[in-house]
Structures are given as structure tokens and as C-alpha cells.
Amino acid sequence: MSTRCSIASTGWCSPAEKTCTLAHRAPPQAGRTSAPRRGGYELALARGARERGLPVLAICRGLQVSNIAFGGSLIVDIPTTADHRPVRGADQQLAARHPITLAEGSRLAALYGTRNRVVNTIHHQSIDVTAPGLHPVAWAPDGIVEAVEADDDWPFWAVQWHPEKMIAPDEAAEEMPLFAAFVSAARERAAEHPAAEKGTR
């Protein structure tokens, strides 16, 4: 979803778009396909959002696209660990969970009111080298980066898990602060740039 005032980028790929192969930083794998046209569009979208200071909520592939767009790189296929197993059937994948630790003083830790959470895991790629201007703020026990934030005050939240797919009542309630922060930032942006809402700017 994108507007002139905010962008939400998610990555629940269709069967034809199973992997994120953006330029040379995440080479294609046997048995997995990608959508180069989609990748190019998303890279441009991420860069444009940063240039304009638009609020961004980047989820899963959205986090990966953002990291590539700003000069980082990806682990193409995460080694199997107790926290990250090979991609399975849809029901199993949606049910998979693992703990994460949020950095003290991070925006996400402040939003959630805790440094320790349990999230879902629907990905086989992750950040390798973090892009300039971003920094990791959440990790799984196996060391995989689970979230990044901007170094400056840009309203940018990027998480590797899928908060929108954590739909059990208790989990959904725990994820609400993230969505609320994004919506609030988008409303603030719209109020500051009313012409953008009308499509005249």
C-alpha cells in the first residue's frame, strides 16, 4: 500500500515470487523464482520514500528491499537453525514462532514496552550487511537480524516478521502499537502536507 503521505511495504510473495533477488546482492537460487520488474519498482519506491521523508512500515520482503535499496546486502538462504527452518507448507509456516530481543533504547522497544517478544517467521532470507543509515534493533537467538531502524528521525519501521499475520487475539493486541505508530506518523505527514493528499503536489 502506498500513498503520497506514507508507504507500507510487505512481502507475502505469491508462488511465482518466492525469493528476493535484487540486483547482484542476492543472486537467484535453483528452484526459486523472482520478479525483476517488481524488484526494480520496489527499490525506487524505497529510495523515493527516504528522499521525501515519507513514513514507511516495511514488513519481511519490505525490510529486505529497503536494506538493498540503501546499500546493504542479504543472506540469500538462512542456514537451518532451531529458530529458522526451511520454508514449509502454509499452515506450518504461519504457525512457526521464535523469540527476539529488541535493542535497549530502540523505537520498537519503546513501542512494544518490552525488549523480549515472540514473533512469527515466514522468510528464508535476511539482512547480512546493514545499509548505511540503518542499524539493527532486533535479533533472533541465532543472530539473524529481525528489525532495523533509521539512524536519524525518519519515521521508518522495518521488521522481518509479519505482524499483520499474527491474528490470535493476544498476538494481534501486542502488534497494535506498531500499526498505531505508523498510522499516526502518516496522519501527521498528511496534516503537514495537505496538498499531497489531494494529489496536487
Side-chain angles (χ1 to χ4, degrees), residues 123-140:
H123 63 107
H124 74 94
Q125 295 182 306
S126 65
I127 287 180
D128 183 11
V129 176
T130 307
L134 304 179
H135 59 276
V137 294
W139 301 263

Side-chain angles (χ1 to χ4, degrees), residues 3-5 186-187 189-201:
T3 72
R4 293 175 181 269
C5 297
R187 285 176 174 164
R189 168 78 184 191
E192 293 173 352
H193 301 79
E197 278 193 303
K198 301 176 183 176
T200 58
R201 182 176 176 179

Side-chain angles (χ1 to χ4, degrees), residues 99-120:
I100 61 169
T101 300
L102 295 165
E104 184 175 1
S106 64
R107 297 172 192 170
L108 284 177
L111 281 179
Y112 287 118
T114 181
R115 293 186 56 210
N116 299 295
R117 303 200 60 244
V118 175
V119 299
N120 58 16

Side-chain angles (χ1 to χ4, degrees), residues 1 3 6 12-13 24 33 47 51 55 61-62 75 82 90 96 104-105 113 116 123 133-134 156 159 176 183 191 195:
M1 180 276 290
T3 72
S6 63
W12 185 247
C13 300
H24 63 283
T33 57
R47 291 166 181 150
E51 289 172 3
R61 177 185 167 101
I75 298 173
E104 184 175 1
N116 299 295
H123 63 107
L134 304 179
F156 172 83
V159 298
M176 282 305 297
V183 171

Side-chain angles (χ1 to χ4, degrees), residues 17-103:
E17 300 171 333
K18 292 181 180 178
T19 196
C20 185
T21 56
L22 300 168
H24 63 283
R25 296 180 183 270
Q29 295 173 274
R32 290 198 171 104
T33 57
S34 63
R37 185 175 298 177
R38 173 185 172 179
Y41 171 80
E42 291 175 334
L43 290 170
L45 190 66
R47 291 166 181 150
R50 187 175 193 177
E51 289 172 3
R52 297 180 61 189
L54 294 179
V56 172
L57 173 56
I59 296 171
C60 195
R61 177 185 167 101
L63 174 150
Q64 297 166 11
V65 168
S66 298
N67 192 59
I68 294 295
F70 306 141
S73 63
L74 301 179
I75 298 173
V76 178
D77 209 16
I78 300 171
T80 299
T81 70
D83 303 302
H84 293 92
R85 300 182 183 278
V87 175
R88 294 151 282 185
D91 290 344
Q92 283 182 298
Q93 200 67 52
L94 286 170
R97 299 286 187 273
H98 65 65
I100 61 169
T101 300
L102 295 165

